[in-house]
């Protein structure tokens, strides 16, 4: 079973680490593209969670990378500092199965 890796702010990464999830603090959202390039080469990671506040400023730059990654699955999650929206679980599952 592969690992879950969180990329986000210091607070959210700390919370996820308390639950046993690996995490990387991203201070500057413009480093997200480089971090994703590194992570997609790792065989031990199956799921990458990115906090919305880190993702939004560089959405246009990283959407192409995220769209071309087959493993790990990359998804955006809300953080305490971002506005939350309902998550479409059906869409996420279909994407994970290769239908989305």
């Amino acid at each position: 079973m592969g690992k879950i890796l969180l990329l986000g702010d210091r607070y959210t990464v700390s919370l996820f680490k308390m639950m046993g999830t690996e995490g990387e603090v991203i201070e500057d959202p413009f480093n997200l593209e480089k971090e994703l390039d590194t992570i997609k080469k790792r065989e031990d990671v199956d799921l990458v969670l990115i906090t919305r506040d880190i993702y939004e400023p560089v959405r246009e730059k990283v959407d192409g990378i995220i769209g071309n990654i087959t493993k790990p699955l990359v998804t955006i999650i809300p953080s305490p500092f971002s506005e939350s929206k309902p998550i479409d679980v059906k869409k996420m599952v279909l994407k994970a199965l290769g239908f989305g």
Side-chain angles (χ1 to χ4, degrees), residues 1-99:
M1 186 166 162
K3 295 180 182 178
I4 297 173
L5 175 65
L6 173 73
L7 303 175
D9 59 89
R10 187 172 310 281
Y11 178 76
T12 307
V13 169
S14 295
L15 289 174
F16 273 75
K17 281 187 175 182
M18 285 192 291
M19 295 184 292
T21 302
E22 191 175 325
E24 294 289 330
V25 175
I26 306 291
E27 299 287 345
D28 181 4
F30 293 96
N31 292 335
L32 183 58
E33 186 176 8
K34 186 175 96 173
E35 194 68 37
L36 285 171
D37 282 335
T38 303
I39 291 167
K40 70 181 180 182
K41 297 172 187 167
R42 290 181 55 179
E43 293 293 324
D44 62 330
V45 177
D46 282 342
L47 176 63
V48 177
L49 305 172
I50 303 172
T51 56
R52 183 169 284 125
D53 56 318
I54 300 298
Y55 167 74
E56 287 296 333
V58 292
R59 169 183 245 161
E60 292 81 25
K61 289 182 84 174
V62 298
D63 273 349
I65 296 170
I66 292 172
N68 291 327
I69 296 176
T70 55
K71 183 186 176 213
L73 175 64
V74 179
T75 191
I76 312 304
I77 62 168
S79 74
F81 310 109
S82 62
E83 182 181 319
S84 63
K85 298 176 186 172
I87 296 173
D88 186 348
V89 176
K90 181 179 178 182
K91 184 177 177 181
M92 259 179 31
V93 170
L94 288 173
K95 182 177 179 181
L97 295 173
F99 296 106

